[in-house]
Amino acid sequence: MENENIITLVNEDGSTIQCTVILIYSLNDYDYIALLPLEEQEADLLLYRYVDKGEGVIEFGGIETKEEFEEASSELTYLLEDLYDDEDSE
């Protein structure tokens, strides 16, 4: 059975990175996806724009400005803190 929370990114050079999907969320008319690489012990989260084209086709895009990255990162931090606070209160 395939794990839907694991995706494989293909880099421009053809190399691949398997990642766990941490969260998909919307902010300011864009969707974002936070990924954690599986192969790296101390990996940073990867954050991309995310477009679901349907029928299993997903498109990732770069975040274009520092301001957009800061807003998307702040929202991700807020959402993750809220998620973990909810889990702690159960």
Side-chain angles (χ1 to χ4, degrees):
M1 182 173 170
E2 188 173 318
N3 186 339
E4 292 182 19
N5 291 326
I6 305 291
I7 63 169
T8 302
L9 297 179
V10 180
N11 293 318
E12 291 177 358
D13 66 2
S15 63
T16 60
I17 302 172
Q18 281 200 312
C19 299
T20 299
V21 176
I22 302 300
L23 190 64
I24 298 171
Y25 62 100
S26 297
L27 177 68
N28 298 333
D29 299 324
Y30 293 109
D31 291 330
Y32 295 93
I33 187 168
L35 305 170
L36 183 63
L38 293 175
E39 290 108 19
E40 299 176 33
Q41 291 285 333
E42 296 181 25
D44 292 327
L45 281 178
L46 304 175
L47 186 58
Y48 295 98
R49 282 189 185 171
Y50 170 88
V51 178
D52 186 344
K53 299 284 192 173
E55 298 183 24
V57 178
I58 298 170
E59 188 174 283
F60 295 97
I63 295 175
E64 296 181 2
T65 65
K66 182 178 179 180
E67 291 79 18
E68 179 187 359
F69 179 78
E70 288 172 355
E71 286 183 27
S73 295
S74 292
E75 182 70 6
L76 174 61
T77 300
Y78 171 78
L79 292 170
L80 289 175
E81 286 174 352
D82 190 49
L83 178 70
Y84 287 110
D85 285 345
D86 287 347
E87 286 180 1
D88 290 340
S89 65
E90 291 179 1

